[in-house]
Amino acid sequence: MTLDEIAFELELAGLSREQQTKMLSFCKANGFDAKMLDKKLMLMGYEPVFSLYEDDENSEEKK
């Protein structure tokens, strides 16, 4: 996922601008990790939203 796509999903999830910035900074430093992002969202009290994309990436790799 691109940073723009991640930012869009975070906005849809209802994160504040500050929370979005922190999550995007994490992605810039560590890359896209669906499980880690979902874990961070759950710790912040939000529903996980990125595991779905990890499943999509795994199925594309198998092709």
Side-chain angles (χ1 to χ4, degrees):
M1 287 186 87
T2 67
L3 288 176
D4 288 336
E5 292 170 330
I6 295 168
F8 180 71
E9 290 296 331
L10 294 173
E11 187 174 342
L12 289 178
L15 275 72
S16 70
R17 178 58 72 189
E18 182 179 325
Q19 291 170 319
Q20 291 176 38
T21 302
K22 287 180 183 179
M23 294 285 277
L24 291 172
S25 294
F26 173 82
C27 291
K28 287 177 187 176
N30 302 298
F32 176 72
D33 182 345
K35 288 181 182 178
M36 184 57 72
L37 290 175
D38 280 345
K39 184 176 180 179
K40 287 182 171 292
L41 284 172
M42 288 187 288
L43 289 171
M44 293 166 40
Y46 294 95
E47 292 293 319
V49 295
F50 292 105
S51 295
L52 168 74
Y53 297 106
E54 184 177 82
D55 293 340
D56 290 344
E57 287 178 3
N58 288 338
S59 64
E60 287 177 12
E61 290 175 1
K62 293 178 184 176
K63 290 181 181 180

